[in-house]
């Protein structure tokens, strides 16, 4: 690793992560290292001295990665900025090791980054955080609510959603870095080359999915569920099930190697139950693991437990609504 002594390890798969990397790039020239949960460990291992500062953004650090971050803390300052429900004890262990931890469940990571460096970044950069608030569906977070009042609401909303749809549709390193380049220079997202085509493609894909799901999904009580066809993005499909089927919860699963099934869940807005907590409990009952946000969660369980998982979930929701 040579050159810039600052890196930002950020979630590469969505607009919030890309915006975090853009804000840090703008703040101090941080070099973006985009990660997914599959390669986060390898990305962390690739971070070696000499470096001054390391930022880790929009990534839920699991227990097994704590030691790797503490290793980095041995030669660089480390700041973790995130909004995912943390595994127990992880943030405490990191803070004890001297990592600066900026964490809230209520706002998206980009809004937390902006808020933390608000003075240095200045208010034009706040528009980036505002895009991400829409893109990550955290527009009603306490900081985001105030921030969104500062800018043209519809422009920021539209730009944020262009970013969100395009980031999912064009998951290439080249496009992601191009987005970070543009945003860190305060370009409006719709001016990024090829972004409109990518966003429209994603809208078309979602429209196609909604039509397809209406024909193949199953409704069980307050839940609609479907097995993903090859290549389907299970989180997106779980969310679209709410639209296509009119249920309170959408569940999309995909069978993986090793006898496991990955499950993604989304719930309609406006309910008090916490999807992540229910998912965590029911996944463990089936010998797997899971968790997540209030309205978006995921689990990985043995395939034999799928039927029980759906049944337990449906029962739990039925108790809440009957
Ligand atoms: Mn996020």
């Amino acid at each position: 690793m040579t050159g810039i002594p600052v890196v930002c390890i950020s979630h590469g798969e969505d607009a919030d992560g890309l915006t975090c990397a853009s804000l840090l790039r703008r703040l101090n020239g941080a070099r973006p290292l985009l990660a997914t949960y599959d390669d986060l460990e390898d990305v962390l291992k690739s971070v070696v001295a000499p470096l001054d500062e390391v930022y880790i953004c929009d990534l839920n650090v699991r227990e097994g990665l704590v030691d790797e971050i503490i290793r980095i803390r041995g030669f660089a300052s480390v700041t973790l900025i995130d909004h995912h429900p943390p595994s127990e004890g992880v943030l405490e262990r990191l803070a004890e090791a001297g990592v600066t931890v900026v964490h809230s469940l209520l706002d998206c990571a980009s809004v937390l980054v902006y808020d933390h460096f608000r003075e240095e970044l200045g208010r034009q950069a706040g528009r980036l955080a505002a895009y991400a608030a829409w893109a990550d569906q955290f527009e009603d977070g306490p900081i985001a609510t105030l921030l969104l009042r500062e800018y043209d609401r519809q422009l920021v909303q539209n730009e944020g959603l262009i970013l969100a749809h395009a980031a999912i549709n064009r998951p290439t390193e080249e496009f992601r870095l191009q987005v970070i380049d543009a945003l860190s220079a305060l370009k409006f997202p719709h001016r990024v080359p090829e972004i409109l085509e990518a966003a429209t493609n994603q809208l078309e894909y979602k429209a196609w999915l909604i039509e397809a799901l209406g024909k193949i999904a199953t409704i069980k009580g307050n839940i609609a569920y479907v097995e993903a066809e090859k290549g389907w993005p299970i989180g997106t499909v779980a969310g679209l099930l709410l639209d296509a089927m009119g249920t309170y919860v959408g569940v999309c699963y995909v069978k993986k190697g090793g006898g496991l099934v990955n499950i993604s869940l989304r719930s309609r807005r406006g309910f008090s139950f916490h999807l992540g907590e229910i998912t965590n409990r029911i996944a463990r009952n089936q010998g797997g693991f899971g968790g997540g946000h209030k309205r978006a969660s995921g689990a990985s369980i043995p395939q034999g437990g799928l039927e029980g998982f759906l049944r337990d979930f449906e029962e739990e929701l039925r108790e809440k609504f009957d």
Side-chain angles (χ1 to χ4, degrees), residues 14 16 58 83-84 108-109 136:
D14 72 8
D16 191 26
D58 196 30
H83 68 137
H84 296 90
C108 71
D136 220 32

